[in-house]
Amino acid sequence: MQSADNEDDGATRHPTWSSAWELLLPTASAPPRQRGRVLQGALRDAVRSGRLAAGTRLPSGRALAADLGVSRGLVTEAYEQLTAEGYLRSRRGAGTWVSGATGSGSTGAASGPSGPGRVGAVPAGEAEPVCPDRSPGAAVADFTPGTPDLSLFPRAAWSAAHRRAVARLPHRALGYPDPRGIPELRAELARLLVRRRGVVADPARVVVCSGVAQAMTLLGAAVYGTGQRTVALEEPGSPEHRELLAAAGLTAVPVPLDDDGPDPVALAASGARTAVLTPSHQFPTGTAVPAARREELLRWARSVDGLLVEDDYDGDFRYDRAPVGALQGLDPERVAYTGSVSKSLAPGLRLGWLVVPERLLDAVVARKRLLDLGNPVLDQALLADLIARGEYDRQLRRCQRAYRERRDALAAALAAHCPGAAVTGIAAGLHAIVALPERYGPEDAFLARARRAGLAVRPLSAYTWAGGRASVRTPDGRVRLVLGHAHLAPAEIGRGVAVLGRLAGD
Amino acid sequence: MQSADNEDDGATRHPTWSSAWELLLPTASAPPRQRGRVLQGALRDAVRSGRLAAGTRLPSGRALAADLGVSRGLVTEAYEQLTAEGYLRSRRGAGTWVSGATGSGSTGAASGPSGPGRVGAVPAGEAEPVCPDRSPGAAVADFTPGTPDLSLFPRAAWSAAHRRAVARLPHRALGYPDPRGIPELRAELARLLVRRRGVVADPARVVVCSGVAQAMTLLGAAVYGTGQRTVALEEPGSPEHRELLAAAGLTAVPVPLDDDGPDPVALAASGARTAVLTPSHQFPTGTAVPAARREELLRWARSVDGLLVEDDYDGDFRYDRAPVGALQGLDPERVAYTGSVSKSLAPGLRLGWLVVPERLLDAVVARKRLLDLGNPVLDQALLADLIARGEYDRQLRRCQRAYRERRDALAAALAAHCPGAAVTGIAAGLHAIVALPERYGPEDAFLARARRAGLAVRPLSAYTWAGGRASVRTPDGRVRLVLGHAHLAPAEIGRGVAVLGRLAGD
């Protein structure tokens, strides 16, 4: 049971953690008249950020007030306010606890309701898109896709690499960074991407960034700089990409998918000269673009002197065969490639990369410099060290094994509890597309039953953003779900699917 | 001797470092026809980023070719190309070495010529602005301001904090971060800034960012969002601030300084409603804004429903008395406060903070989310840990002692070698303003002599950006220099000033 793991883990590694309320809710230090607001703010932060796990029982008002050295009234008031806001729940006799998903390895966004400004929301290429109908949580299982299993983060290896890096780096390496990234990491990434993904990556073309979201911001600015004002995006696809590119001044034009991926005819008709694609494992439908279609897409890019942006968000995780090589390898001057460690190590590291066509390199680097001057140098040195030692490859194999096991558990559970359900999309990634038998439809009624049953499930239709909802709600009337499985223990998957199986309509 | 320190340090901590040419210049792994370009690119990177220190002697072509497993011709060609570009120097019999400043603790930007797109350049609030007449380096001493002494970085404490953080953080804390920063760090920063700088900092108003440069980008976007299109900047001041705000769509209007700081009359006449200021220690003139002028500036901000942006880039380092409190403390709703660890720990950490008026908070957080989703969580946990343990305060005291000692060394050396020179500006910060006696002028001729003598010095006039150059070249005709001393060992300061003293005109 992973959520139990997490608790044990936290507890054994840091016995006083769960009682460190002063650390978690620093209140007494605030000026007396601000204490109430400070306490409520800190409590809200703790839930949003996941530091206070969903389901965590809070101390009694009296006990917490004593811990924090504030009046009991302040605590009671804070509990009432946050209960009203939905962050906490309480029941007479049962006390007060954190509402939301059972937080096993789940993100802040998943373990509490999103706050104003959707704090904690994350881009689709990297994780789940922001969903208006996002449920506050799931008591039984949260199948929201996009989160890796954070318990797989190689803490010992990361710690050892940090020790080595801090001891080894010359003083001057701690100065203002090269906005493109440190040379060691760019060289290691170039080797890694050539070897694992068939990317043609000259270190001079590699730009270290803070993840796929920032990559979209950087490329969006560079593309805008060439005078373009539109960009083609897959539909269904990532609402977050659309938002990031809109902030760069680019209007998204939807390109529908057929069985082979983005429709080249629609692409040609879009009028755009830049397209963002997920060719190795389309997000969210899970299809891979075959060779012939790849050539068609590249022909389009050349014909309009355009650019394909390849979001390789989970290209390393294919279970039935060797991963499909990156599209970028076919034409490095027409494809900008981006990926990150968010699925393989941890999203919290905020570390990713870009491989950029020469004509866009200066603009991307100049923008990176404006945004943050460059990524933190120690983190870069750590990753370079892990890659050089082969530990990053070991980590990828470890994740691949774990995620394949969970995908198999999902398929087995569906066969057992939901006869007639079909898992579609290639065997890859951290989520699967499940087409439920007709008896589960229609979609809205099914989703309502799932919520009531304590399941967080995301329908495929939630990933449409340009009126394609109807096209995704296929005529066969079957409900299609995007089920994230990578962050759930096989036992949780089984429990969740067992409940799901009982949700057929009458 | 610090530069010797650095070398020893690098060598003793990592014996094979200096011979790890394969790691530094990964070339053999590239496709044969690309190897020449890859080698030249990697060599250029290594110099630019400072990984190859100025003055480092390179192996013979034959030896490096053997190390890298490439042909000797490739290496010779690379040496010739980079010598032509000014990154390397060679002399018959003396071999080939890296040109540029004696790299003691100096940044990549300082230890090699800036490349295209001014890679390695850094914002003035954080370090020296980019200068058109930037000299490729200095054989004797580099007084370029803005760099802290990187040898003061507390490696052991940082390593220990990382060990604790990695062991302690619950799995879910490694997920997608809260774009505002982790609650622990925001709470610790709030306490620290109240205590040390008199900032009124509710954790709910603190936003963790990657430094002052990103703070300007975030605030620039928020201000632009309110419909403003101009921003008032100090003149002389930071060309980098101007560039960062221009990228956000804001046009800079210069505000001249008098003895008390920014001229309120000029500010009122500027038509701007936002002004970026350095009230604790004006950059670069080194004056502090007295109480009365602070009130005038705030009155202006209130009268135009405007905003003062307080860049507190080195407010912690005042030598003759307790640091001046932050302007923000006087009116938290009219002042946005920003600072970073770039001067106190290391610029390479890319870690800073903002305290934002409530009306701008959502816009700043939304922009932060678009730029990078938030700062890396482990780095944040480390800093929170150091602050909570009082180690950050110890580090500040350590830096303060070191920098005061160097400032005193500078003053003493000037008295000994340059009679009549006057150190102006308050006793604070990492640089000093030195007015040379008339016999050293005129400026252009003096700067040429300094370059020839192997000194890198920056005239005050280099920090004017709106035609104020004449006003700074004061009628008394004295040359005014902005001398960075924090990154230099007292012995180096002495050597450099001794040379400077001999540069009077004839």
Side-chain angles (χ1 to χ4, degrees), chain A residues 446-472:
Chain A
F446 170 81
L447 294 176
R449 289 196 296 276
R451 259 193 300 276
R452 283 195 299 274
L455 293 178
V457 293
R458 187 65 56 80
L460 181 57
S461 60
Y463 295 86
T464 59
W465 49 272
R469 195 174 169 91
S471 72
V472 173

Side-chain angles (χ1 to χ4, degrees), chain A residues 6 13 26 37 50-51 122 126 155 166-167 169 171-172 174 176 180 184 202 240 348 369 377 379, chain B residues 6 13 37 45 50-51 122 126 155 166-167 169 171-172 174 176 184 191 202 240 348 369 377 379:
Chain A
N6 291 0
R13 289 167 186 262
R37 194 156 40 83
R51 265 283 292 106
V122 293
E126 297 201 328
R155 292 176 185 244
V166 167
L169 282 181
H171 293 317
R172 72 185 59 82
L174 296 169
Y176 287 94
R180 298 168 302 172
E184 298 89 329
D202 173 345
E240 277 285 338
R369 195 174 142 275
V377 292
D379 299 350
Chain B
N6 290 359
R13 288 167 189 259
R37 194 157 41 83
D45 291 341
R51 266 285 290 107
V122 293
E126 296 201 332
R155 292 176 185 245
V166 167
L169 281 180
H171 293 318
R172 72 187 59 83
L174 297 169
Y176 287 95
E184 298 87 333
R191 276 197 288 266
D202 173 345
E240 277 285 338
R369 194 174 143 273
V377 291
D379 299 349

Side-chain angles (χ1 to χ4, degrees), chain B residues 176-440:
Chain B
Y176 287 95
D178 182 331
R180 299 167 302 170
I182 66 172
E184 298 87 333
L185 179 57
R186 292 163 60 217
E188 289 298 342
L189 284 172
R191 276 197 288 266
L192 178 82
L193 295 173
V194 169
R195 178 162 50 78
R196 291 196 67 95
R197 307 291 300 122
V199 168
V200 176
D202 173 345
R205 301 289 189 82
V206 175
V207 177
V208 177
C209 65
S210 75
V212 168
Q214 186 174 68
M216 288 299 150
T217 298
L218 295 171
L219 287 169
V223 165
Y224 185 92
T226 67
Q228 298 178 58
R229 296 296 178 266
T230 59
V231 56
L233 298 185
E234 297 167 331
E235 153 88 344
S238 150
E240 277 285 338
H241 281 172
R242 184 159 118 265
E243 186 190 346
L244 291 162
L245 294 164
L250 298 170
T251 305
V253 185
V255 173
L257 309 170
D258 61 25
D259 294 348
D260 285 348
D263 172 1
V265 179
L267 196 54
S270 71
R273 291 172 47 214
T274 297
V276 179
L277 308 175
T278 50
S280 296
H281 188 231
Q282 202 275 335
F283 187 87
T285 62
T287 59
V289 177
R293 177 62 57 89
R294 288 176 179 231
E295 280 305 338
E296 284 184 273
L297 295 170
L298 286 168
R299 267 200 302 278
W300 168 79
R302 296 184 196 111
S303 69
V304 296
D305 185 20
L307 177 75
L308 299 177
V309 177
E310 178 172 23
D311 175 2
D312 197 27
Y313 67 104
D314 68 358
D316 272 307
F317 304 115
R318 177 138 189 184
Y319 310 131
D320 55 346
R321 42 164 287 191
V324 186
L327 179 63
Q328 189 266 4
L330 299 177
D331 192 341
E333 290 308 321
R334 285 294 161 205
V335 183
Y337 175 91
T338 177
S340 78
V341 302
S342 294
K343 300 286 186 289
S344 53
L345 289 170
L349 296 178
R350 307 311 311 130
L351 198 49
W353 45 82
L354 269 165
V355 183
V356 188
E358 183 155 36
R359 67 187 187 283
L360 295 175
L361 186 58
D362 287 352
V364 165
V365 172
R367 176 62 51 160
K368 174 64 176 172
R369 194 174 143 273
L370 285 171
L371 295 193
D372 54 27
L373 299 187
N375 274 62
V377 291
L378 276 169
D379 299 349
Q380 295 185 64
L382 264 59
L383 182 58
D385 178 283
L386 285 196
I387 297 173
R389 291 168 171 262
E391 285 173 4
Y392 186 72
D393 286 90
R394 272 191 290 283
Q395 171 69 7
L396 287 172
R397 288 193 294 274
R398 197 164 154 239
C399 294
Q400 169 117 353
R401 276 195 304 276
Y403 298 157
R404 179 198 285 118
E405 175 196 34
R406 287 153 205 204
R407 185 181 185 282
D408 296 346
L410 177 65
L414 284 165
H417 303 293
C418 195
V423 179
T424 65
I426 59 169
L430 283 63
H431 68 273
I433 301 293
V434 175
L436 298 176
E438 282 187 35
R439 64 184 184 278
Y440 287 84

Side-chain angles (χ1 to χ4, degrees), chain B residues 29-212:
Chain B
S29 60
R33 271 200 275 82
Q34 298 183 19
R35 282 179 191 166
R37 194 157 41 83
V38 170
L39 172 58
Q40 293 180 23
L43 203 49
R44 213 176 277 115
D45 291 341
V47 175
R48 276 187 190 152
S49 67
R51 266 285 290 107
L52 264 185
T56 303
R57 188 168 304 284
L58 294 170
S60 72
R62 185 193 304 276
L64 185 57
D67 263 7
L68 300 181
V70 301
S71 78
R72 184 178 176 182
L74 274 189
V75 176
T76 313
E77 193 182 321
Y79 279 8
E80 287 167 354
Q81 177 58 34
L82 268 78
T83 304
E85 291 174 21
Y87 291 96
L88 303 180
R89 295 186 204 162
S90 60
R91 205 168 55 240
R92 188 178 304 286
T96 304
W97 64 93
V98 177
S99 57
T102 54
S104 57
S106 64
T107 67
S111 58
S114 300
R118 307 205 312 287
V119 167
V122 293
E126 296 201 332
E128 91 274 10
V130 180
C131 220
D133 59 8
R134 153 161 218 75
S135 85
V140 175
D142 183 350
F143 286 102
T144 308
T147 312
D149 180 354
L150 298 167
S151 72
L152 293 175
F153 180 69
R155 292 176 185 245
W158 195 253
S159 242
H162 188 272
R163 244 188 338 273
R164 286 191 297 267
V166 167
R168 190 190 63 201
L169 281 180
H171 293 318
R172 72 187 59 83
L174 297 169
Y176 287 95
D178 182 331
R180 299 167 302 170
I182 66 172
E184 298 87 333
L185 179 57
R186 292 163 60 217
E188 289 298 342
L189 284 172
R191 276 197 288 266
L192 178 82
L193 295 173
V194 169
R195 178 162 50 78
R196 291 196 67 95
R197 307 291 300 122
V199 168
V200 176
D202 173 345
R205 301 289 189 82
V206 175
V207 177
V208 177
C209 65
S210 75
V212 168

